């Protein structure tokens, strides 16, 4: 979370403006902190799905204080179930994003919060003031595909401008080129498939080119007024990218760069090699030490002593605080963080952070809400006037209670809650998991009231 300016509001004044929507299991949806207008939207969307695809299992029910929706056996978010069902899963995601935007809810982050058979959770915040584009939003999807080969990009709800933008981006950044393109019909939707030479999101040269391609795609899409609103996990492989048409938005590929966390101990700089020196200073100041630096397929790689991206206890805390210091270096360099993206989903490849060059940069401070083990939250680098109400949120809204608190160095705090909210599977109803997502929405609202944005 980043802070620009601080204000003070009490926990009891939290508005019901942060909604969480979780994509769970094969074709189930959970909605936390639901409002009447969102509930009504989901009912109408269910009717649309039933009329278009014949799905008859999408009724909304109350589920442990949340709303549960099953979008039917024709939908799935599991890639092994085939192209038709995967297409419908993307269609459902597009329609939810469009309708939430029409209701003035902005998607502020997408995060994987639990292990086993669980996809992304989307957190939305209600926008107080509407604009003329609300009510007629258009969302498209660009998704990696090709099964185990991972050699395709699939476009859904696209037009010719989007096709051209993606092809130009690949000409910019995908050195191996493409072997072909074609239109495919799937479940009544027209997909455009681009077959790559090489493998999307993989390691070595293809891994670096994937990240360069993402920067270029986001920039080229910006040139035709399509703005990235999220990258999200729908199928436990590489993230899918969703863009919304925004006539006020423009961008260029040169506006974007990326920081990639790799293996257990490495940082890679994509399109931002000029930040190498200040990043070295920030890394060492945060308590980590640099083992070596090298050129890695045209990017700069920094190898750190230890295993900061696969660690626990004190080393994990230092690693997460170091990321906050690194984010501050990007801010001073004029870059604003946009999204954390998973390109590959493997133990040797962690998240990458996409940044945009900001014409009006803000010198932000960053803090971290870290979710670790099965039931632990850590509040790192929050000032006391923010940390206390965030802590109080957990006590006030998490119904299963707190096991214990641990005071960490530098006024940081660790809270262990009852239950196992960071794990869910098909054999568990996962009540603590869903309640904790509602609590996280409340915590984001509290942080925003104090000037800290997610």
């Amino acid at each position: 979370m980043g802070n620009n300016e601080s204000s003070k509001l009490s926990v009891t004044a939290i508005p019901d403006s942060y909604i969480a929507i979780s994509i769970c299991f094969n074709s189930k949806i959970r909605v936390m902190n639901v409002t009447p207008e969102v509930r009504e939207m989901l009912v109408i969307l269910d009717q649309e799905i039933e009329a278009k695809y014949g799905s008859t299992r999408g009724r909304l029910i109350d589920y442990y204080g949340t709303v549960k929706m099953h979008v039917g056996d024709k939908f799935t978010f599991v890639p092994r179930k085939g192209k038709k069902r995967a297409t419908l899963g993307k269609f459902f995601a597009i329609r939810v994003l469009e309708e939430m935007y029409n209701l003035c809810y902005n998607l502020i982050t997408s995060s994987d919060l639990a292990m086993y058979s669980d996809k992304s959770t989307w957190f939305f915040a209600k926008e107080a003031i509407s604009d003329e584009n609300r009510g007629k939003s258009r969302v498209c999807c660009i998704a990696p595909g090709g099964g185990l080969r991972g050699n395709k990009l699939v476009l859904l709800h696209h037009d010719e401008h989007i096709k051209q933008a993606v092809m130009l981006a690949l000409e910019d950044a995908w050195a191996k080129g493409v072997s072909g393109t074609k239109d495919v019909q799937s479940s009544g939707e027209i997909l455009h498939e681009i077959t790559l030479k090489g493998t999307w999101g993989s390691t070595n040269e293809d891994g670096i080119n994937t990240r360069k391609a993402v920067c270029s795609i986001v920039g080229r899409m910006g040139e035709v007024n399509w703005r990235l609103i999220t990258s999200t996990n729908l199928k436990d492989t590489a993230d899918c990218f969703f863009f919304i048409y925004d006539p006020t938005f423009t961008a260029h590929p040169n506006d974007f760069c990326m920081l990639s966390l790799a293996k257990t101990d490495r940082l890679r700089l994509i399109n931002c090699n000029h930040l190498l020196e200040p990043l070295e200073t920030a890394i060492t100041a945060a308590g980590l030490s640099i083992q070596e630096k090298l050129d890695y397929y045209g990017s700069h790689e920094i190898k750190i002593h230890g295993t900061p991206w696969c660690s626990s206890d004190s080393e994990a805390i230092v690693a997460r605080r170091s990321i906050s210091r690194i984010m501050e270096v990007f801010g001073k360099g004029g870059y604003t963080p946009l999204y954390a993206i998973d390109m590959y989903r493997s133990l040797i490849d962690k998240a990458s952070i996409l940044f945009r060059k900001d014409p009006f940069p803000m010198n932000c401070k960053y803090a971290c809400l870290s979710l670790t083990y099965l039931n632990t939250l850590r509040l790192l680098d929050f000032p006391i006037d923010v940390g206390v109400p965030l802590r109080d949120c957990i006590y006030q809204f998490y119904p299963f209670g707190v096991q214990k608190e641990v005071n960490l160095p530098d006024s940081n705090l660790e809270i262990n809650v009852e239950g196992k909210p960071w794990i869910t599977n098909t054999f568990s109803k996962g009540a603590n998991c869903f309640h904790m997502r509602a609590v996280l929405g409340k915590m984001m609202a509290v942080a925003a009231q104090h000037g800290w944005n997610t």
Side-chain angles (χ1 to χ4, degrees):
M1 294 184 179
N3 169 263
N4 185 28
E5 183 177 325
S6 182
S7 58
K8 292 185 179 181
L9 290 171
S10 68
V11 173
T12 56
I14 302 173
D16 291 326
S17 58
Y18 279 65
I19 289 178
I21 298 179
S22 288
I23 299 170
C24 306
F25 315 134
N26 291 346
S27 54
K28 297 180 179 65
I29 308 297
R30 306 283 190 269
V31 187
M32 283 62 68
N33 301 335
V34 69
T35 60
E37 61 181 354
V38 171
R39 183 187 286 268
E40 181 181 0
M41 178 273 289
L42 291 172
V43 170
I44 295 172
L45 181 56
D46 167 52
Q47 294 169 351
E48 176 186 334
I49 291 170
E50 183 174 349
K52 187 170 183 177
Y53 298 111
S55 176
T56 58
R57 299 175 60 193
R59 299 296 177 255
L60 274 64
I61 62 172
D62 290 327
Y63 186 83
Y64 290 99
T66 71
V67 167
K68 175 183 177 181
M69 181 179 184
H70 194 307
V71 293
D73 56 3
K74 294 186 178 182
F75 286 68
T76 188
F77 301 104
V78 179
R80 297 185 302 274
K81 299 296 184 178
K83 179 181 293 185
K84 290 184 178 180
R85 292 186 177 186
T87 298
L88 296 179
K90 296 181 186 72
F91 167 81
F92 178 81
I94 286 172
R95 291 294 295 119
V96 169
L97 294 174
E98 287 178 342
E99 292 304 321
M100 290 296 285
Y101 187 79
N102 291 341
L103 292 173
C104 300
Y105 284 91
N106 293 328
L107 180 60
I108 58 172
T109 191
S110 170
S111 182
D112 297 353
L113 295 173
M115 298 178 287
Y116 307 126
S117 303
D118 191 60
K119 315 298 185 247
S120 287
T121 294
W122 301 330
F123 289 93
F124 295 86
K126 181 79 170 183
E127 180 70 38
I129 301 175
S130 182
D131 62 57
E132 61 182 11
N133 295 312
R134 302 284 184 174
K136 51 185 179 182
S137 63
R138 294 162 54 202
V139 171
C140 74
C141 176
I142 300 175
L148 294 176
R149 290 174 295 175
N151 65 339
K152 291 183 180 179
L153 288 179
V154 179
L155 280 54
L156 178 61
H157 281 208
H158 56 283
D159 58 22
E160 288 300 321
H161 295 295
I162 293 173
K163 285 184 185 180
Q164 294 171 11
V166 175
M167 290 303 296
L168 285 173
L170 293 175
E171 289 178 15
D172 294 338
W174 194 262
K176 294 182 178 179
V178 303
S179 60
T181 65
K182 62 179 179 180
D183 289 333
V184 178
Q185 188 167 10
S186 175
S187 301
E189 305 292 331
I190 302 297
L191 308 177
H192 185 66
E193 290 187 352
I194 302 171
T195 303
L196 306 171
K197 295 179 181 178
T199 304
W200 181 269
S202 186
T203 57
N204 303 325
E205 182 180 6
D206 283 353
I208 295 301
N209 288 339
T210 295
R211 287 149 182 80
K212 290 180 177 179
V214 169
C215 293
S216 189
I217 288 171
V218 175
R220 290 293 186 183
M221 290 289 284
E223 289 181 330
V224 290
N225 307 120
W226 286 85
R227 172 170 54 86
L228 181 67
I229 53 173
T230 190
S231 68
T232 192
N233 172 22
L234 290 183
K235 51 186 182 176
D236 284 340
T237 55
D239 278 0
C240 299
F241 300 90
F242 291 88
F243 295 80
I244 192 166
Y245 182 72
D246 181 352
T248 67
F249 177 79
T250 58
H252 185 273
N254 291 340
D255 296 340
F256 297 92
C257 71
M258 191 171 285
L259 175 72
S260 181
L261 280 63
K263 297 189 176 179
T264 62
D265 58 356
R266 314 206 178 174
L267 291 166
R268 292 173 183 153
L269 309 182
I270 315 296
N271 297 346
C272 55
N273 290 343
H274 61 287
L275 294 178
L276 178 61
E277 186 175 338
L279 283 175
E280 291 179 55
T281 302
I283 290 168
T284 54
L288 299 176
S289 61
I290 295 173
Q291 184 172 343
E292 65 175 333
K293 299 172 291 180
L294 62 147
D295 182 278
Y296 189 80
Y297 298 99
S299 70
H300 271 311
E301 179 179 276
I302 303 172
K303 184 177 180 180
I304 299 169
H305 283 285
T307 56
W309 320 141
C310 186
S311 57
S312 59
D313 299 328
S314 60
E315 188 181 11
I317 293 169
V318 171
R320 282 146 184 79
R321 297 182 72 188
S322 72
I323 295 297
S324 293
R325 305 294 80 77
I326 289 169
M327 301 273 277
E328 289 164 1
V329 168
F330 275 86
K332 291 176 182 177
Y335 289 93
T336 298
L338 298 179
Y339 302 99
I341 302 170
D342 277 321
M343 307 289 188
Y344 190 42
R345 266 192 178 77
S346 77
L347 293 177
I348 63 171
D349 190 78
K350 309 300 182 183
S352 297
I353 304 172
L354 180 68
F355 294 85
R356 184 187 181 191
K357 187 74 173 178
D358 197 327
F360 306 104
M362 296 183 293
N363 189 15
C364 292
K365 295 181 179 179
Y366 287 88
C368 176
L369 172 60
S370 174
L371 314 178
T372 187
Y373 299 122
L374 301 179
N375 65 339
T376 301
L377 301 91
R378 289 173 177 153
L379 302 174
L380 306 177
D381 293 327
F382 286 99
I384 293 177
D385 65 329
V386 183
V388 170
L390 288 176
R391 166 195 174 276
D392 292 347
C393 258
I394 300 171
Y395 281 91
Q396 182 172 343
F397 296 108
Y398 185 63
F400 301 97
V402 172
Q403 286 183 358
K404 65 176 181 178
E405 288 186 20
V406 179
N407 291 316
L408 304 173
D410 300 324
S411 300
N412 296 305
L413 182 65
E414 177 178 288
I415 300 174
N416 300 314
V417 300
E418 296 288 351
K420 299 176 181 179
W422 315 138
I423 182 169
T424 183
N425 55 54
T426 54
F427 306 106
S428 169
K429 293 179 183 284
N432 0 84
C433 170
F434 301 124
H435 280 293
M436 182 53 77
R437 293 170 201 217
V439 174
L440 291 174
K442 297 291 188 182
M443 294 176 76
M444 291 179 189
V446 168
Q449 288 175 334
H450 288 78
W452 291 77
N453 298 313
T454 304

